[in-house]
């Protein structure tokens, strides 16, 4: 069973973008393994909390990288 695991910063992708990752990744595996891979390909898109990832021993945030910061759920209240 082909398997792909994407870890992305939390709240940076829309549901449509996640669907596109799943669809395009499945098509990639079908292109490699043939049509038999379509029904068994698993794609997991995991959201990682802001500050829950890092590079070279340094914790990173979207703000540090100049990207949009995740929305504060209290902003919706």
């Amino acid at each position: 069973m082909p398997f792909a695991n994407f870890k992305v910063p939390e709240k940076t992708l829309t549901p449509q973008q996640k669907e596109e990752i799943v669809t395009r990744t499945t098509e990639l595996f079908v292109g490699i393994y043939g049509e038999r891979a379509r029904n068994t390909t698993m794609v997991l898109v995991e959201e990682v909390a802001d500050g829950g990832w890092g590079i070279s021993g340094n914790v990173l945030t979207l703000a540090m990288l100049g990207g949009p910061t995740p929305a504060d759920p209290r902003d919706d209240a």
Side-chain angles (χ1 to χ4, degrees):
M1 166 185 357
F3 175 76
N5 186 352
F6 292 87
K7 294 184 185 282
V8 299
E10 183 177 49
K11 299 180 184 175
T12 59
L13 295 177
T14 66
Q16 294 80 15
Q17 289 170 318
K18 291 176 192 176
E19 182 177 341
E20 184 173 356
I21 289 171
V22 171
T23 301
R24 291 178 68 177
T25 302
T26 300
E27 292 303 323
L28 173 68
F29 281 127
V30 168
I32 294 168
Y33 292 108
E35 196 59 41
R36 70 183 191 273
R38 184 175 307 281
N39 290 331
T40 60
T41 294
M42 180 178 186
V43 181
L44 180 61
V45 180
E46 290 185 274
E47 293 187 340
V48 178
D50 194 37
W53 46 286
I55 299 173
S56 301
N58 299 303
V59 174
L60 298 177
T61 65
L62 290 175
M64 291 169 64
L65 298 174
T69 57
D72 186 330
R74 294 172 291 182
D75 291 343
D76 295 335

